[in-house]
């Protein structure tokens, strides 16, 4: 992967409206076609993974910011925690039974999950 190809990957995060990324560096496995391809130096791989994680973190924060003030259907997974229909984690500010689905107002976020009441 060239730097230009990697830059395109960064652009796709915004263009596709991605909100959550799962980033891990490629590790060649002996005997696979990918292991025979020219390899990117490990320091470059780690730096690109860091940059992509930062891009993903920023996209997730924008997503959380945009959800504040919305009403969302939330599946209660455990007492005080659930997920929206788009899989965004939510801290629920009142007791609710696991398995319940409730439409709640998103009142804020803590940087990692939405806050709803």
């Amino acid at each position: 992967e060239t730097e230009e190809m990697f830059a395109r990957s960064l652009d796709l995060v915004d263009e596709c409206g991605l909100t959550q990324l799962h980033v891990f560096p490629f590790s060649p496995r002996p005997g696979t076609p990918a292991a025979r391809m020219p390899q990117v130096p490990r320091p470059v791989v780690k730096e690109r993974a860091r940059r992509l994680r930062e891009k993903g973190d920023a996209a997730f924060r924008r997503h959380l910011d945009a959800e504040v003030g919305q009403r969302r259907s939330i599946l209660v997974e455990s007492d005080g925690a659930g997920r929206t229909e788009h899989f965004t984690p939510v801290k629920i500010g009142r007791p609710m039974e696991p398995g319940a689905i409730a439409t709640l107002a998103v009142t804020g976020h803590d940087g990692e999950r939405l806050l709803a009441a």
Side-chain angles (χ1 to χ4, degrees), residues 92-111:
I92 302 168
R94 62 181 185 204
M96 298 188 77
E97 281 292 314
I101 297 175
T103 301
L104 301 173
V106 177
T107 58
H109 70 80
D110 63 9

Side-chain angles (χ1 to χ4, degrees), residues 23-45:
V23 179
F24 55 92
F26 169 75
S27 298
R29 298 200 186 258
T32 64
R36 294 189 300 271
M37 296 173 68
Q39 301 298 307
V40 175
R42 288 311 284 172
V44 173
V45 170

Side-chain angles (χ1 to χ4, degrees), residues 1 6 9 20-29 34 40 42 44-54 56:
E1 179 182 61
F6 176 71
S9 295
Q20 296 181 348
L21 304 181
H22 180 76
V23 179
F24 55 92
F26 169 75
S27 298
R29 298 200 186 258
V40 175
R42 288 311 284 172
V44 173
V45 170
K46 289 183 178 193
E47 174 65 13
R48 288 179 180 173
R50 182 194 62 74
R51 289 167 53 200
L52 192 53
R53 283 186 191 103
E54 285 177 355

Side-chain angles (χ1 to χ4, degrees), residues 1-84:
E1 179 182 61
T2 66
E3 185 61 32
E4 183 178 316
M5 294 165 121
F6 176 71
R8 184 69 185 120
S9 295
L10 291 174
D11 291 342
L12 283 170
V13 173
D14 294 329
E15 288 176 23
C16 295
L18 301 178
T19 58
Q20 296 181 348
L21 304 181
H22 180 76
V23 179
F24 55 92
F26 169 75
S27 298
R29 298 200 186 258
T32 64
R36 294 189 300 271
M37 296 173 68
Q39 301 298 307
V40 175
R42 288 311 284 172
V44 173
V45 170
K46 289 183 178 193
E47 174 65 13
R48 288 179 180 173
R50 182 194 62 74
R51 289 167 53 200
L52 192 53
R53 283 186 191 103
E54 285 177 355
K55 184 77 161 177
D57 290 346
F60 187 60
R61 282 189 304 276
R62 281 192 306 275
H63 170 66
L64 293 175
D65 288 342
E67 290 294 295
V68 175
Q70 302 297 316
R71 293 185 61 76
R72 293 290 179 236
S73 291
I74 298 169
L75 171 63
V76 181
E77 296 180 324
S78 63
D79 188 33
R83 292 193 182 266
T84 69

